[in-house]
Amino acid sequence: RHVHRIHISICIADAMAELQSYESKIKAEGIDTAFPKYAAQRSDCSSYRANGDLGFFGRGQMQKPFEDASFALGVGEMSGIVSTDSGYHLIYRIA
């Protein structure tokens, strides 16, 4: 089984307050359109070039907290802020 999602990733030092702001903006503006827009504008991951889209992945391919949060989401749902060794993330599952 695989999930397909896009995400926003920001370095730990500045991440929490900034991601909380993005989380609020995305919820207010609508996840479908706002999430890809903000992922393209402000993500430390190279996936920003694809509006945050990391493509499909299976279990064991990502850091455990990221993987667990991704698989726990239903299609069309956005996670809260997820902490991993590489930083903090918002995750939006699109398939």
Side-chain angles (χ1 to χ4, degrees), residues 1 3 6 9 18 22 27 32 36 45-46 55 68 70 87 92 95:
R1 188 176 112 154
V3 296
I6 57 179
S9 177
E18 191 171 356
Y22 280 116
K27 287 178 180 178
D32 288 344
C45 178
S46 62
D68 289 346
S70 295
Y92 171 39

Side-chain angles (χ1 to χ4, degrees), residues 21-83:
S21 174
Y22 280 116
E23 184 178 25
S24 295
K25 289 177 185 179
I26 290 166
K27 287 178 180 178
E29 295 175 28
I31 298 170
D32 288 344
T33 56
F35 198 103
K37 174 179 77 173
Y38 290 120
Q41 288 177 8
R42 181 62 177 101
S43 181
D44 289 344
C45 178
S46 62
S47 67
Y48 78 89
R49 291 184 207 103
N51 298 326
D53 193 338
L54 290 170
F56 286 92
F57 73 89
R59 294 229 179 246
Q61 294 181 282
M62 296 288 182
Q63 294 178 52
K64 185 85 169 119
F66 191 95
E67 174 186 304
D68 289 346
S70 295
F71 278 94
L73 294 170
V75 173
E77 291 181 331
M78 182 176 74
S79 71
I81 296 171
V82 176
S83 177

